[in-house]
Amino acid sequence: GIATRLRVRRVGGAVLVGFDGRSASEHLARLAASVLRERGIDVVLDVGRSPTPALAGAVAKSRAAAALVLTASHNPAEYHGLKLFGNRGEAVGGDEARRIEEATARALAKTPRKAPESGRLRRTDFTARYVKRLARAVHIDPGRGGKPRVFYDALHGAGAGALDVALRERGVRITGLRLHSDSAFGGDVPDPSPGRLRELSRRVRASGSSTSASNLRGGSARSHA
């Protein structure tokens, strides 16, 4: 359905494909890449899991046609989903999403045929590029209390290894929670609701910090961190 709409709208360029740390994500990403290539579309596939904003930012800064991310976001581990971003990094929804669904339904109603993969495939590390953009967006003011300290709970999600690495590169002292990859999210739901952030809140209170990191400022890069 996505391939059909790109052709109808005459949107050229490759499609970026990424995925989160769920158990089926990489398999589904490879499958999506194969389907796109069968339809003559070049694909840039991530070398490993990456946070959704890494793909949204990458498509906005390149000449790519779209970015497709296999993720169910904050939903339970047994869920899965697909996010699509247009060539300016915007989330695709509304009328265009309905047209994609209609095109998909028409394609699924036909007898499937395996076609040669005429589209080219290359791999890249979207997370590494995203870390560089995040690091450039952070500015430390040494005259306002020295190096800030940040507590970061990644909830075992794909943001681990991105935000924490970028902040450390800028001299921020990081205390990380749930930073290792876990497709089951530690048996919990990766939703940053107040109830799931109690330990993070406790750590912040126990640190004795009475203010936020006032000498840590975000730049204008809209990093979606």
Side-chain angles (χ1 to χ4, degrees), residues 212-223:
S212 61
S214 59
N215 59 338
L216 174 65
R217 304 194 315 276
S220 60
R222 293 191 182 182
S223 59

Side-chain angles (χ1 to χ4, degrees), residues 43-223:
V43 173
V44 183
L45 179 63
D46 207 344
V47 297
R49 65 169 193 155
S50 60
T52 297
L55 275 294
V59 71
K61 292 180 177 295
S62 69
R63 295 182 179 179
L68 190 158
V69 186
L70 279 300
T71 178
S73 191
H74 62 284
N75 290 293
E78 62 269 25
Y79 284 63
H80 223 304
L82 182 155
K83 292 185 177 182
L84 179 65
F85 298 90
N87 58 4
R88 293 174 296 175
E90 78 284 6
V92 173
D95 291 341
E96 183 59 23
R98 284 190 289 275
R99 291 188 180 101
I100 291 170
E101 290 170 356
E102 291 166 358
T104 302
R106 289 193 296 271
L108 291 173
K110 299 177 182 178
T111 302
R113 292 184 301 171
K114 180 69 176 177
E117 294 181 347
S118 57
R120 294 173 296 178
L121 174 68
R122 66 182 179 91
R123 306 293 298 268
T124 195
D125 189 338
F126 289 110
T127 296
R129 293 161 61 181
Y130 181 52
V131 167
K132 291 179 180 178
R133 293 201 305 273
L134 283 176
R136 288 195 299 266
V138 175
H139 305 279
I140 306 297
D141 185 351
R144 301 188 66 182
K147 295 180 179 180
R149 184 179 184 185
V150 171
F151 292 82
Y152 172 47
D153 188 345
L155 298 170
H156 300 300
L163 178 61
D164 49 314
V165 172
L167 291 177
R168 284 196 181 99
E169 287 184 0
R170 301 299 291 171
V172 177
R173 295 176 296 157
I174 293 286
T175 298
L177 288 78
R178 293 183 277 196
L179 288 178
H180 67 278
S181 177
D182 183 354
S183 61
F185 304 107
D188 204 348
V189 179
D191 183 5
S193 60
R196 293 185 176 88
L197 298 178
R198 288 195 183 98
E199 178 60 17
L200 178 67
S201 298
R202 188 192 68 79
R203 295 284 189 99
V204 173
R205 291 195 302 269
S207 72
S209 175
S210 60
T211 61
S212 61
S214 59
N215 59 338
L216 174 65
R217 304 194 315 276
S220 60
R222 293 191 182 182
S223 59

